[in-house]
Amino acid sequence: MNLAIRYCERCQLIKPDRCHHCSACDVCVLKMDHHCPWVNNCVGFSNYKFFMLFLLYSLLYCLFIAATVLQYFIRFWTLCRSKSEETCPQVVIWKKKKKLSESGLNNKTFSYGGFPNELADTRAKFHVLFLFFVSAMFFISILSLFSYHCWLVGKNRSTIEAFRAPSFRTGPEKDGFSLGFSKNFREVFGDEKRYWLFPTFTR
């Protein structure tokens, strides 16, 4: 390691190796990765596993939403592409509703069959489109961030160390803390495999 003793002027304490001062939290954080505004906290040695699981859960949630909305998204774009009003399901349903209302019958008791799960409301279509695009965009952005942090876990680096290599007696070395992929992974998620996917302390 670097022979010089690192000292934090703000905390008035000696800083261990891989420790950095967070200006937002105003505290020194061991193995600090970054300050995350989404969780309003610093990501470091004590909560890196929880941050990784947060990304994983968010990724799966966005994927679930996009997958469940996809069928309505496809139906919206494919059903009414015909310019003929007589063959457009939306127009047919509207005409049936109009006839029932004119006859004085309660159209809520009838099924406008032939088009199950049809999205007749324009606002509902907008909600489906908005939900699909937002979930898809968040999925892509979270996937890139999650993949990058998986790479960092495999290398036993933090984001700060990825941009600025830690210094040793022999000079800067990016892989100076790497113990091999398996040990690097267990350093974050612990030795108990059954608890890897659960937000519990496993170290």
Side-chain angles (χ1 to χ4, degrees), residues 71-80 119 125 128-129:
Q71 58 173 326
Y72 302 102
F73 177 77
I74 295 176
R75 183 178 291 115
F76 171 73
W77 286 106
T78 56
L79 279 182
C80 284
L119 300 174
K125 292 178 182 179
V128 168
L129 290 175

Side-chain angles (χ1 to χ4, degrees), residues 10 52 111 181:
R10 296 292 301 272
M52 293 292 293
S111 174
F181 179 80

Side-chain angles (χ1 to χ4, degrees), residues 39-78:
V39 298
N40 192 28
N41 199 1
C42 282
V43 177
F45 178 79
S46 61
N47 60 356
Y48 197 42
K49 174 191 174 182
F50 303 104
F51 175 73
M52 293 292 293
L53 292 179
F54 168 70
L55 294 180
L56 178 61
Y57 297 159
S58 302
L59 189 68
L60 295 177
Y61 183 60
C62 291
L63 179 62
F64 172 77
I65 293 177
T68 52
V69 176
L70 180 61
Q71 58 173 326
Y72 302 102
F73 177 77
I74 295 176
R75 183 178 291 115
F76 171 73
W77 286 106
T78 56

